[in-house]
């Protein structure tokens, strides 16, 4: 459904997006995971036709965005990060307006509007001005507006920012439903849990480039089998590297002065042996944690920093 | 194209649904029209009454006849006796009829009637009063000649005194003064001379031009900057509309807002004119063919200016403040408040560069100078060119994406 090839965007000296390529199939949710400033929104803006790329291409349903922007945009449902609504209008009036832009009229528009109001749970408040809504309700309407014309590719740019946990769960359920109904979904987020639980495929993005992509399982597999051991203390990276070299099965994922991320073979024996090796190496430790690998660890391994930095 | 109209119609509905805009669109301009029409109802034109108090120190039948002659010349002439005049302060011009006026005229002796203007009187009206006073004098003399001719005996001359004129003869003179004049003097401009637009023909088009620019600039720039901030402008560009089409739709919406404002004022002032309310008998209907292209081009031009202002500023508050400033300045400099013709040369040149200036010129060409559609061509083209320039700059400064 969506094919992005070598997409690049520069703002002066800054390369906001640098050679990004990925694809999203119909019925699948593809996540772009990265911190603020990673280039996710710029990537979405280029796919949505809001800003032209410096190079690269975007194809939707086989159509080149550069050559046929109107045809491509007709297939897109864009849900922007900001809540872009007419606050003086009601939810119904907002949906009517945005539906009208896509040529929906009369009964078809009314049916679609009512279905969407049911979908996002706003049917009972549909005749109220949007300015009276809570943040979560506005987010839900923001989503509904992007779906009014039944798009085949849905671009969701951090749609859960600033809403309460229950509203987030509801919204994610709606997104899953859209994919089940056959839409291709491109979803950006900086929430690991969201990406892990929602997305069929993920790309980990930072500083404008994609560092890794694949299914959640395949990405986790890059951390290797077993557990992740995190060490903190007064040591140098060379000290840890030497300790890792002396041990059996221990593998360095990320090494830094005072902090190290190590892969430990699965099983109790593996962890015990690893701890013993570190202990005997004489490293001065202040904190040691052992946990199952997650995307945060992968992000740290790939980018050298935490997602929430 | 259909989507452009959809955007434009949506924007117009949004503007019309706001209570503050209804006040600005409908109530405030009508108040201004009523006020300006009232203020201007005594000014301009050749038929307006000019105030000219009279001090009658003579008190005889010829001074009474002369005063009646003044009234026939459309003067409003309250009469003061010499004693009353001593205690009255005249704020404008007045006429002084000397004691013994009747006796001197009947005796063919020279006598003076004095027109006195004060420092605070309106020079235009002083001039008009002087001309009409001469007309009254000519007609007074012609009636005196007719009266004398009818009397036969005794003729005017040194031997005739007021005591020789009986009551019937005195009344006959007053009757002659009351008869319609047989000679009419009409003043018109000749050659390249252009009269200064005045009265309702200045104030009503002026109010219209002012309120269109105020409504469109204030409402338009406020709503566009708000849309820029809340992201709906950007969201519109994610639809099949291009950024340029979004801006065209927004411009069309603002143009429709201006047209609505103009239509409200045209209909309202037409009704006022037909019923003679507030002293105006000005009607749009004879001029609509020439007026419409000017107004359509003007509405587009002002809408494009609204787009430009919205692109330059970040917040609705900033945009609204600047729009007020622009609107008032454009109205004053463009000749909405007073005719460009009475402004100093430098200001007039500036005014003629502005959309309001071209709109007023076009309206005056059609309404005051009777040039019809031909008089509308140049102002319409100029407004479209200026509007096009505003739009090109505005579409680059107002970033949809």
């Amino acid at each position: 459904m969506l094919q992005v090839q070598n997409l690049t965007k520069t703002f002066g000296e800054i390369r906001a997006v640098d050679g990004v390529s990925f694809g999203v199939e119909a019925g699948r949710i593809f996540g772009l995971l990265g911190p603020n400033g990673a280039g996710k929104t710029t990537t979405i803006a280029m796919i949505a036709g809001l800003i032209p790329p410096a190079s690269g291409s975007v194809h939707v349903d086989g159509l080149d965005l550069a050559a046929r922007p109107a045809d491509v945009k007709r297939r897109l449902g864009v849900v922007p990060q900001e809540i872009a609504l007419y606050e003086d209008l009601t939810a119904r009036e907002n949906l009517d307006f945005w539906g009208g832009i896509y040529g929906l009229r009369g009964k078809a528009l009314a049916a679609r509007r009512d279905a969407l109001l049911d979908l996002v749970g706003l049917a009972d408040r549909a005749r109220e001005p949007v300015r009276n809504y809570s943040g979560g309700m506005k987010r839900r309407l923001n989503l509904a507006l992007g779906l009014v014309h039944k798009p085949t590719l849905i671009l969701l740019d951090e749609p859960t920012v600033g809403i309460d946990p229950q509203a987030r769960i509801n919204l994610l359920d709606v997104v899953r439903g859209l994919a089940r109904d056959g839409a291709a979904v491109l979803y950006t987020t900086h929430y690991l849990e969201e990406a892990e639980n929602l997305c069929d495929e993920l790309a980990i993005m930072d500083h404008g480039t994609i560092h890794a992509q694949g299914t959640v399982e395949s990405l986790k597999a890059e951390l290797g089998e077993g557990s992740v051991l995190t060490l903190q203390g007064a040591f140098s990276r060379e000290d840890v590297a030497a300790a890792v070299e002396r041990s059996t099965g221990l593998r360095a994922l990320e090494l830094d002065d005072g902090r190290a991320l190590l892969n430990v073979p699965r099983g109790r024996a593996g962890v015990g042996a690893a701890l013993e090796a570190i202990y005997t190496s004489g490293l001065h430790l202040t904190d040691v944690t052992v946990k199952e690998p997650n995307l945060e660890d992968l992000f740290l391994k790939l980018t050298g920093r935490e997602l929430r930095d | 194209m259909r989507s452009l109209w959809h955007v434009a119609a949506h924007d117009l509905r949004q503007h019309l649904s706001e209570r503050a805009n209804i006040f600005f669109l409908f109530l405030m301009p009508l108040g201004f029209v009523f006020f300006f029409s009232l203020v201007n109802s005594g000014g301009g034109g050749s038929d307006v009454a000019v105030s000219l108090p009279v001090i009658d120190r003579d008190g005889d039948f010829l001074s009474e006849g002369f005063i009646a002659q003044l009234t026939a010349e459309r003067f409003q002439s309250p009469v003061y006796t010499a004693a009353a005049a001593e205690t009255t302060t005249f704020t404008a011009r007045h006429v002084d009829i000397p004691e013994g006026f009747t006796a001197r005229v009947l005796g063919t002796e020279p006598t003076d009637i004095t027109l006195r203007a004060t420092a605070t009187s309106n020079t235009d009206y002083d001039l008009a009063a002087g001309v009409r006073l001469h007309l009254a004098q000519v007609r007074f003399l012609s009636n005196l000649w007719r009266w004398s001719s009818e009397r036969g005996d005794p003729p005017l001359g040194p031997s005739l005194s007021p005591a020789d004129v009986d009551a019937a003869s005195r009344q006959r003179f007053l009757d002659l003064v009351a008869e319609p004049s047989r000679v009419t003097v009409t003043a018109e401009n000749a050659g390249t001379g252009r009269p200064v637009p005045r009265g309702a023909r200045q104030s009503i088009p002026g109010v219209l031009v002012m309120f269109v620019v105020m409504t469109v600039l204030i409402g338009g720039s406020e709503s566009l900057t708000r849309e820029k901030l809340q992201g709906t402008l950007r969201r519109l560009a994610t639809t099949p509309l291009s950024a340029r089409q979004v801006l065209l739709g927004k411009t069309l919406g603002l143009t429709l807002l201006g047209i609505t404002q103009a239509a409200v004022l045209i209909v309202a002032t037409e009704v006022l004119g037909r019923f003679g309310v507030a002293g105006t008998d000005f009607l749009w209907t004879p001029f609509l063919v020439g007026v419409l292209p000017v107004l359509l081009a003007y509405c587009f031009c002002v809408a494009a200016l609204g787009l430009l202002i919205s692109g330059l500023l970040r917040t609705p508050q900033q945009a609204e403040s600047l729009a007020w400033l622009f609107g008032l300045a454009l109205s004053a400099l463009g000749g909405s408040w007073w005719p460009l013709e009475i402004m100093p040369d430098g200001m007039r040149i500036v005014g003629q560069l502005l959309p309001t200036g071209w709109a007023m010129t076009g309206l005056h060409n059609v309404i005051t100078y009777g040039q019809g559609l031909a008089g509308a061509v140049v102002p319409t083209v100029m407004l479209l060119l200026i509007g096009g320039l505003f739009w090109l700059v505005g579409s680059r400064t107002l970033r949809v994406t």
Side-chain angles (χ1 to χ4, degrees):
Chain A
M1 176 59 66
L2 169 66
Q3 283 301 322
V4 173
Q5 286 295 327
N6 205 25
L7 214 52
T8 301
K9 182 69 187 177
T10 53
F11 296 108
E13 296 293 306
I14 301 166
R15 285 178 88 82
V17 175
D18 190 3
V20 163
S21 300
F22 60 87
V24 186
E25 297 300 318
R28 305 275 286 174
I29 302 173
F30 187 96
L32 277 179
L33 175 67
N36 293 330
K40 307 186 298 292
T41 297
T42 305
T43 303
I44 289 259
M46 284 189 280
I47 297 168
L50 287 172
I51 51 175
S55 64
S57 66
V58 174
H59 286 80
V60 175
D61 233 357
L63 300 172
D64 186 353
L65 174 66
R68 297 175 63 181
D71 290 331
V72 168
K73 285 159 85 179
R74 202 164 280 119
R75 289 163 164 80
L76 299 183
V78 181
V79 181
Q81 189 172 345
E82 70 259 336
I83 298 176
L85 309 168
Y86 290 108
E87 299 251 338
D88 293 336
L89 301 185
T90 66
R92 286 169 60 96
E93 289 166 339
N94 266 288
L95 284 162
D96 284 349
F97 169 68
W98 291 100
I101 294 273
Y102 290 93
L104 288 172
R105 299 282 187 277
K107 287 180 182 173
L109 175 59
R112 183 64 184 153
R113 176 192 67 207
D114 294 343
L116 283 170
L117 287 170
D118 281 335
L119 180 72
V120 296
L122 290 173
D124 56 334
R125 304 281 298 272
R127 292 175 191 273
E128 266 185 57
V130 169
R131 62 173 172 269
N132 296 344
Y133 284 12
S134 67
M137 291 166 73
K138 286 179 184 175
R139 277 274 169 216
R140 281 183 272 157
L141 182 60
N142 201 38
L143 171 64
L145 296 186
L147 309 176
V148 70
H149 56 295
K150 291 189 178 172
T152 49
L153 171 62
I154 299 164
L155 309 179
L156 297 160
D157 191 9
E158 308 239 15
T160 58
V161 168
I163 62 173
D164 61 77
Q166 186 56 49
R168 174 180 293 183
I169 290 167
N170 293 341
L171 201 138
L172 296 181
D173 280 345
V174 172
V175 175
R176 285 189 192 94
L178 294 170
R180 270 197 307 275
D181 291 342
V185 178
L186 176 61
Y187 189 100
T188 77
T189 183
H190 63 270
Y191 296 127
L192 281 164
E193 304 78 12
E194 238 176 60
E196 228 172 314
N197 295 331
L198 181 72
C199 299
D200 302 306
E201 282 183 74
L202 271 177
I204 292 179
M205 196 170 181
D206 193 33
H207 292 123
T209 58
I210 290 179
H211 293 269
Q213 63 177 300
T215 62
V216 173
E217 292 71 26
S218 69
L219 287 172
K220 282 182 180 175
E222 289 193 24
L223 292 166
E225 291 289 314
S227 307
V228 172
L229 182 64
T230 308
L231 309 177
Q232 291 189 67
F235 52 78
S236 67
R237 56 178 295 156
E238 289 77 18
D239 294 339
V240 184
V244 168
E245 209 163 289
R246 282 196 298 274
S247 71
T248 48
L250 206 56
R251 192 161 61 89
L253 296 172
E254 172 68 19
L255 294 181
D256 216 338
D257 290 342
R259 181 184 169 90
L261 203 68
L262 309 174
N263 177 253
V264 184
R266 195 174 292 281
R268 203 167 180 169
V271 174
L275 286 172
E276 191 177 340
I278 290 162
Y279 178 74
T280 54
S281 68
L283 291 177
H284 179 73
L285 301 175
T286 56
D287 189 42
V288 177
T289 57
V290 181
K291 62 180 181 180
E292 286 299 300
N294 62 21
L295 290 174
E296 177 79 53
D297 303 318
L298 178 60
F299 189 83
L300 188 64
K301 178 192 172 207
L302 292 172
T303 66
R305 62 189 185 123
E306 290 188 7
L307 193 55
R308 290 178 183 86
D309 279 352
Chain B
M1 192 63 197
R2 200 174 170 188
S3 294
L4 291 190
W5 279 105
H6 184 71
V7 171
H10 162 80
D11 284 1
L12 182 62
R13 272 196 302 274
Q14 284 263 84
H15 284 294
L16 296 182
S17 65
E18 285 184 30
R19 201 171 295 172
N21 285 345
I22 289 174
F23 176 75
F24 214 88
L25 261 170
F26 298 105
L27 301 179
M28 200 166 156
L30 294 186
F32 266 68
V33 165
F34 191 80
F35 173 73
F36 274 108
S37 299
L38 206 61
V39 167
N40 286 292
S41 60
S46 58
D47 295 331
V48 294
V50 175
S51 174
L52 187 66
V54 177
I55 303 171
D56 185 4
R57 301 180 195 277
D58 179 52
D60 212 331
F61 80 102
L62 283 190
S63 66
E64 188 184 345
F66 187 75
I67 292 165
Q69 195 69 66
L70 291 179
T71 308
E73 287 300 331
R74 301 179 308 285
F75 281 112
Q76 288 176 343
S77 296
V79 180
Y80 297 84
T81 62
E86 292 298 319
T87 58
T88 303
T89 303
F90 295 98
T91 54
R93 72 212 67 76
H94 65 273
V95 160
D96 199 332
I97 301 175
E99 191 177 350
F101 171 75
T102 301
R104 284 173 178 273
V105 171
L106 291 177
T108 64
E109 291 177 44
T111 185
D112 292 328
I113 290 175
T114 311
L115 171 65
R116 286 201 179 87
T118 65
T120 55
S121 65
N122 182 311
T123 313
D124 275 359
Y125 285 172
D126 290 342
L127 195 63
V131 172
R132 289 192 196 174
L133 197 59
H134 281 297
L135 283 172
Q137 190 182 2
V138 169
R139 285 177 180 149
F140 175 79
L141 290 174
S142 75
N143 284 324
L144 192 64
W145 179 80
R146 280 183 66 195
W147 175 74
S148 175
S149 301
E150 284 178 15
R151 277 171 55 83
D153 183 32
L156 290 178
S159 59
L160 191 62
S161 77
D164 299 328
V165 183
D166 59 20
S169 190
R170 286 167 181 248
Q171 185 56 48
R172 176 56 190 156
F173 179 75
L174 296 176
D175 290 344
L176 282 174
V177 171
E179 282 183 8
S181 175
R182 296 181 186 189
V183 179
T184 304
V185 177
T186 306
E188 286 183 350
N189 291 281
T192 56
R194 282 160 66 100
V196 175
R198 59 197 316 165
R201 291 177 176 224
Q202 161 64 30
S203 65
I204 291 179
V207 169
L208 185 147
V209 164
M210 178 176 82
F211 271 92
V212 167
V213 76
M214 299 294 283
T215 303
V216 173
L217 285 193
I218 294 169
S221 53
E222 192 272 338
S223 68
L224 276 173
T225 42
R226 183 151 38 95
E227 285 216 48
K228 197 166 60 170
L229 276 185
Q230 71 191 13
T232 43
L233 208 55
R234 184 177 156 93
R235 187 168 204 158
L236 274 170
T238 68
T239 69
L241 294 172
S242 66
R244 182 159 291 201
Q245 286 172 319
V246 170
L247 292 179
L248 275 175
K250 293 290 170 189
T251 311
L252 186 59
L254 288 181
T255 306
L256 290 177
L257 179 64
I259 291 170
T260 305
Q261 175 70 91
V264 166
L265 274 161
I266 286 174
V267 170
T269 48
E270 182 79 5
V271 171
L272 287 176
R274 286 192 185 280
F275 289 99
V277 180
T280 172
D281 57 355
F282 171 74
L283 297 178
W284 287 95
T285 31
F287 310 112
L288 277 182
V289 172
V291 158
L292 279 179
V294 176
L295 287 182
L296 291 176
Y298 176 60
C299 290
F300 160 70
C301 187
V302 173
L305 180 59
L307 195 78
L308 177 58
I309 290 176
S310 310
L312 294 173
L313 300 170
R314 295 177 66 85
T315 68
Q317 291 76 17
Q318 289 174 343
E320 195 172 340
S321 302
L322 193 71
W324 269 99
L325 191 69
F326 263 62
L328 292 173
L330 286 172
S331 302
L333 293 173
S336 295
W337 294 358
W338 43 71
L340 280 176
E341 286 80 353
I342 67 166
M343 289 162 73
D345 286 347
M347 299 283 275
R348 193 159 61 233
I349 291 168
V350 170
Q352 282 293 13
L353 296 173
L354 304 174
T356 42
W358 280 109
M360 288 304 292
T361 299
L363 294 177
H364 285 324
N365 283 351
V366 176
I367 295 166
T368 302
Y369 308 128
Q371 294 176 5
L373 197 55
V377 172
V378 172
T380 302
V381 170
M382 286 307 296
L383 284 166
L384 290 174
L385 286 175
I386 296 170
L389 186 66
F390 284 158
W391 198 87
L392 281 177
V393 178
S395 63
R396 278 161 177 71
T397 54
L398 181 59
R399 289 181 171 272
V400 174
T401 57

